[in-house]
Structure formats: structure tokens, C-alpha cells
Amino acid sequence: MKKVISILLLSALMLIMLVSCNQGVVVPAIVTPEQSTEDTGVPTLTSTPAPTLTQTLMPTPTSVNFDEFNIPEKLKGLDFNGEEIGIIMSGSDVACRSISMCLHGDGSVNAVDVAVMMRNNMVEQLLGVEIVLKETVMAQGMVSHLREYFASPDTSYDIVGAYQYFDLGLAYAESMSGAFYDYGEIEEDKMNMDLKAEYWDSECYEALGYGGDRYWITGDLSLTWLSTMYVSYVNAEIWTEYEEKIKNLTGCDGSIYDLVYDGKWTLDLWLELNELVHKSNDGNEAMVTFEDQHGFLGYDTDANINNIIVDALVSGCHVTFSEMNEEGSPSIKYDTSALEYYSDKTNKLYESSKSCLFPFKHKDMDIMEVFKMGNSLMTVNTLNAAEKYLGDMKDSYYVLPLPKANSDQGEYSTSVGDSTNHFGIPKKCQNLGAVTATLEALGLLSYQIVTPVYYNIVLKGAFEKQDIDAIKMIEYIRGGIYTDFVRVFTGYLTDDVNWYMRRNIGNKTIVSEAPVKEQTWGRQLRFIFTEL
């Protein structure tokens, strides 16, 4: 499992929520721990006076004591004399938000944006560099844009923030062969990154290797990596109403979090909870409607959409489709038992349970808009759904891991969505040592500064309130992130894996068709990079 964020570190470095006013925006102070032995086990938070963010939206950096931020020895004392680090990002404002202040539709900024700029200022102070977001390219345009760039004398870009679904294959494409650095082959005197550190997704880094080459890294630096992690959402009001009955049902006498830690948060349990909480509020017992209280909330089986519910449930059941062979290249291989568990449970969830709501064909609403109405006990989605939809939700909610198929599965698991950004270094960059040091510092300080602010928002103030249970749970979920090569590169397959699973949610034929799909995908996978 990945290393996870220390509760003490996150609590100690929490940037108290952004305060907005008509005159500008107040930047939160950098928060540091006092020596404290309170019963909560969390240090008392103290802060220095906060600088004011003017209408230019550029916070003025104050002097920072870097001893408080566990800076790696290799980064200490470096000074690159104002070296400009040019970055190009693929994606919209959501992706650019990882690197630069994001102006929202009304011209405002929020606490995450401010934390990003504070992090940038600290990195610039630490290393003597200037971080510049040179350009943004909409997702489908990055490959053609970079082909032109590599054929030109331009050397503007030191870091490429690629979009997972469209762009990750570009480093392997024949027309770009040799255009990016393989992180594993950067000379030691220029390599200032620890690719196994907790702020990098080291499992993803290893899983995306092809023929031994590894061009991409992601982790806390990518806000899309944080925000597209799949989780469960549980309505706390409905849960409380049935808590005693749930304890009798599960034999777990503790909180909802204890139920998770005991390994009982499963699709098997969901099938039982669906029936337990069902209330027909409209007098129609034959059909579950928006007005009824129900268990699981999902999309219809025939909804021709990016069915994020399916992507999440597949991840929760730890279904994989590939493995690395002896040559270090991916080959198609189903995790047969996980696929069988997934198929069986989702079939029952969709076909047998009387208390599931699948509203897409009844009303064109996003699932989280329906969840916000307060009649759904459970759904699954990405973490950024909370930020986007649930900020003003009347009911409170829990963020839990995705359900396991059943208790035989072992550990909980999750993955990240296909809009995640990954970072590569083009060989045109002029100062490799400065670039690797900047990436490392951005990753580390994102982990210590930006991540707590983001989690505080989606958990509705959990860090500000020092809600230890909620903080521990978000760490626990994060520890289960895994990567499957074929699901990441699925956009390059004719009948890609994610769409195949989306179209067949609740369909038991997924397992019986596996041998045919294995042959088809295997042939395509062998030519995946030469065809780009």
C-alpha cells in the first residue's frame, strides 16, 4: 500500500479557511505546530499574521522557515539564480489549478488556489527559480501541439502536464521517440527527485512503465489526481436513523468507521442495506422514485454516458486487466476471481435489489445532484463531486472507501479517473537539475500545504474542526489507490476496457466473454505505441 499522510502533519499544516471580502482576499497564514500533549493527539495550531492578497491576485511571499517542512537534504542550499521553469498543461481550469491561480467564473479564488500560489512562492524561495505556466492546451490537442513543438527550435517547456486519457502514449509514439526523459535514466547529479516518496504515486509510476521506460509521474502535485480518486458517499442522517439496526445486522458495535476497519463495508452489505432503509414516500410500492428513501444510487444500465459509477465499482472490487511480462511490457490478463465477484454483486445490485434508484432516463440530473436531495443512503463517485455538488448540502455525509465485493476480497481499493494529469520532462529543457528539483519541491509542498486544504473543503471542514475520524478515513482510502495499465491506456484500444465495463454493468456475461476480449485487446496492446 502507498504511504499515507500523517494526521499530525496535515493538522499542523492546515491553512485555515480562506476569508473573502470585497476589498480582496486574505491569504491564510502558514500554520505550524506548538508542542502540545492534548488528549486529541493533535498539536495546537498557531499562525503568523497572514499577508493580504490584492486585486492582482499575487500573494507576496514572506520569509519561510523551511526547517518546519522536512525538506530533503538534496534540495537544501540549491540556488538556480532565477531560472525559469516553463510548464505546459493539458486540460481546462481544473488541470491548470495544479500549477497556477485559477480564476473562477465570478472572478473569485478559493482556499485551494491560494494554497497553490503560496506553495509556488515557497518553491521559488527555496530553489531560486521562477515557475511559469506557459500554456494550456485542451485535452485532445496536446499530442499535435507537442509534435510541432519538438520539430521547432522553441525550448519554452521544461515540464509537460499530460492528460491521462488522451496524452500518455505520446512519449512512446514513433514521431516523439526520444523526446522525453526516462526518469530512471536521469544522471544522478541532475536527479533531485525521490520517486518513492509519499507525495508521488509510486505504484502508478511503476505500472505505467513500458519496456522499462518510465516517462510519467503523478501524485499530490496533480490536483486532478487528488480530486478524481473514487470514494463512497453515505448520507449521515439516514445512517444515524438506522444505526442500531445496522449494528444488529453487522455485529459491529462501533461507528461507521469501525465497520470499515472491520472489513465489513462490502457490496454484500449494500444489498442488505438497500432493503433495510427503503421507504416508499409516494405510495407507489412498485417503483423507486426520487421521493422514496432508497439505498444505492447509480446510473441506468443503458445510459450512454461516462458512467463514473461503474468505474468506481470496478475499482472497489480491484478488477485488473493487465500485468507486466518478463520484458517489462504490459500484457492482457484478467484477475478472474475479482471479475467474477464484481459481476455477481453488481448483477444483484442492479437486477435483484428493490431499493436502488437509477434516475438517468427519468430525469436528466447528475447523480450527485440527486444524492444532494437527501433520499439516497449510498452512492460512489470521485472526490471532487463533493466540492462541486455538496458544499451546500443540507444533510451531512460520510466519505468512505469504495465497497469491496465481499469479505473474501481482502483490502479496500480505489483508483483515479482518466482526467488525471501526469508530469513528464521533455529533453529540450535547458536545466535538468533545476527542473527535477522544482518537481520534487512542488510535490513535497503540495503534500504538506495544498492537499490538506483540498481535503478540508471536500470533507466540509474536517481539518479545521480536527475531526480525527474523518481525517484518518481519507488517509485510509488514499492508501488503497492502484493502477492498471490497460485501464489507464484504454483510450487507445478500439473497444476500450472502461466503456466495455460501463456498457455491461450488472451483466453476468462479462466473465464468459473475457477470453474473446483478452485475445482482441492483447493484439491491440502489442501495437498500441507504434500506432500512435
Side-chain angles (χ1 to χ4, degrees):
M1 272 204 174
K2 267 182 66 68
K3 292 180 181 179
V4 291
I5 304 173
S6 159
I7 300 171
L8 295 179
L9 176 62
L10 284 181
S11 299
L13 294 175
M14 175 60 210
L15 302 179
I16 308 301
M17 293 298 292
L18 180 69
V19 179
S20 300
C21 62
N22 293 331
Q23 287 72 36
V25 180
V26 177
V27 181
I30 295 173
V31 180
T32 55
E34 288 182 346
Q35 296 300 317
S36 173
T37 57
E38 294 182 10
D39 292 341
T40 61
V42 177
T44 301
L45 301 181
T46 60
S47 62
T48 55
T52 299
L53 186 61
T54 66
Q55 292 298 328
T56 63
L57 300 177
M58 290 297 293
T60 302
T62 56
S63 180
V64 178
N65 179 6
F66 286 105
D67 290 340
E68 298 170 354
F69 290 91
N70 300 316
I71 304 298
E73 288 297 323
K74 199 163 188 176
L75 298 185
K76 293 180 179 178
L78 294 179
D79 186 351
F80 294 103
N81 300 311
E83 180 80 26
E84 182 179 276
I85 307 298
I87 304 175
I88 179 172
M89 295 291 292
S90 178
S92 59
D93 289 345
V94 176
C96 301
R97 191 181 180 197
S98 299
I99 299 298
S100 180
M101 180 79 74
C102 177
L103 283 175
H104 302 281
D106 59 358
S108 66
V109 296
N110 69 18
V112 173
D113 305 310
V114 175
V116 166
M117 293 308 294
M118 292 183 69
R119 177 209 64 196
N120 286 5
N121 285 328
M122 290 174 64
V123 172
E124 290 175 342
Q125 275 191 62
L126 175 68
L127 300 176
V129 296
E130 181 184 2
I131 299 167
V132 180
L133 180 60
K134 290 282 188 177
E135 193 166 359
T136 61
V137 180
M138 290 309 293
Q140 294 93 327
M142 179 66 94
V143 175
S144 59
H145 184 86
L146 285 182
R147 283 192 175 123
E148 294 177 7
Y149 171 74
F150 286 128
S152 75
D154 189 2
T155 58
S156 298
Y157 309 144
D158 299 298
I159 298 169
V160 173
Y163 183 86
Q164 179 171 298
Y165 185 81
F166 291 108
D167 302 337
L168 285 199
L170 60 86
Y172 303 98
E174 184 177 353
S175 61
M176 296 187 193
S177 179
F180 287 83
Y181 279 102
D182 174 356
Y183 282 104
E185 294 185 353
I186 296 176
E187 296 176 6
E188 185 176 354
D189 63 331
K190 297 177 181 177
M191 183 53 171
N192 294 304
M193 299 173 67
D194 177 4
L195 301 178
K196 294 184 178 180
E198 59 266 32
Y199 37 88
W200 298 119
D201 188 342
S202 57
E203 181 174 325
C204 181
Y205 170 74
E206 294 295 337
L208 296 185
Y210 188 88
D213 297 328
R214 293 175 175 83
Y215 299 110
W216 304 108
I217 192 76
T218 192
D220 287 75
L221 172 55
S222 171
L223 277 168
T224 51
W225 179 80
L226 291 172
S227 65
T228 62
M229 180 175 70
Y230 297 113
V231 299
S232 296
Y233 290 94
V234 180
N235 184 299
E237 311 301 321
I238 300 177
W239 186 271
T240 300
E241 181 183 351
Y242 290 88
E243 191 164 19
E244 290 306 314
K245 291 182 179 179
I246 294 171
K247 288 179 179 180
N248 293 333
L249 178 68
T250 62
C252 178
D253 195 39
S255 69
I256 189 171
Y257 298 114
D258 293 322
L259 189 68
V260 171
Y261 296 132
D262 286 351
K264 296 180 178 180
W265 185 242
T266 66
L267 285 175
D268 282 334
L269 176 62
W270 280 36
L271 291 167
E272 297 181 273
L273 293 178
N274 282 339
E275 318 309 322
L276 178 65
V277 305
H278 177 67
K279 287 182 181 178
S280 178
N281 294 327
D282 61 0
N284 183 354
E285 295 287 348
M287 179 182 295
V288 180
T289 67
F290 287 93
E291 289 75 25
D292 295 337
Q293 182 172 285
H294 51 273
F296 173 62
L297 172 66
Y299 285 121
D300 302 281
T301 56
D302 59 349
N304 188 26
I305 55 175
N306 289 325
N307 198 334
I308 206 166
I309 304 296
V310 176
D311 297 348
L313 292 176
V314 169
S315 300
C317 294
H318 203 101
V319 178
T320 58
F321 296 89
S322 64
E323 67 177 9
M324 289 293 173
N325 60 26
E326 293 180 356
E327 289 74 37
S329 297
S331 59
I332 297 292
K333 184 175 178 59
Y334 283 89
D335 183 335
T336 306
S337 62
L339 190 60
E340 287 176 345
Y341 284 149
Y342 164 83
S343 175
D344 177 59
K345 303 307 174 187
T346 54
N347 176 263
K348 292 177 180 176
L349 196 66
Y350 269 72
E351 302 298 332
S352 303
S353 178
K354 70 179 183 182
S355 183
C356 296
L357 178 64
F358 306 115
F360 185 76
K361 61 187 175 187
H362 302 294
K363 191 172 183 180
D364 189 7
M365 294 177 66
D366 186 277
I367 282 295
M368 297 309 287
E369 292 178 294
V370 181
F371 181 79
K372 181 179 176 178
M373 294 168 63
N375 290 326
S376 312
L377 175 62
M378 308 168 296
T379 192
V380 291
N381 217 296
T382 52
L383 195 61
N384 65 350
E387 181 184 14
K388 185 175 182 180
Y389 293 106
L390 305 184
D392 58 348
M393 180 176 175
K394 180 173 66 69
D395 295 349
S396 57
Y397 58 85
Y398 297 108
V399 176
L400 300 182
L402 299 172
K404 299 186 290 186
N406 54 35
S407 57
D408 293 334
Q409 182 178 316
E411 296 180 336
Y412 297 97
S413 66
T414 189
S415 60
V416 295
D418 59 17
S419 60
T420 297
N421 285 106
H422 300 246
F423 298 92
I425 304 173
K427 287 189 176 178
K428 279 192 168 191
C429 80
Q430 302 293 290
N431 190 337
L432 187 56
V435 172
T436 58
T438 300
L439 273 171
E440 182 73 353
L442 285 171
L444 168 68
L445 292 175
S446 294
Y447 172 75
Q448 294 188 350
I449 294 173
V450 181
T451 294
V453 176
Y454 186 80
Y455 285 162
N456 188 64
I457 290 174
V458 298
L459 295 178
K460 299 186 83 168
F463 288 90
E464 188 177 3
K465 300 170 188 172
Q466 297 191 19
D467 184 343
I468 301 302
D469 289 333
I471 294 170
K472 285 176 64 178
M473 186 53 59
I474 203 73
E475 293 188 75
Y476 190 70
I477 299 168
R478 172 178 164 137
I481 295 176
Y482 77 100
T483 300
D484 176 31
F485 184 96
V486 171
R487 287 193 69 194
V488 170
F489 278 86
T490 188
Y492 297 104
L493 301 177
T494 303
D495 183 12
D496 76 58
V497 174
N498 289 340
W499 272 106
Y500 173 70
M501 299 300 286
R502 289 167 183 171
R503 286 193 294 266
N504 287 283
I505 180 67
N507 190 342
K508 283 194 171 183
T509 62
I510 287 177
V511 178
S512 61
E513 291 180 11
V516 176
K517 288 295 179 183
E518 187 170 351
Q519 292 178 17
T520 303
W521 285 329
R523 286 194 299 270
Q524 293 179 6
L525 188 60
R526 287 191 289 272
F527 299 103
I528 189 172
F529 297 111
T530 58
E531 293 176 348
L532 288 172

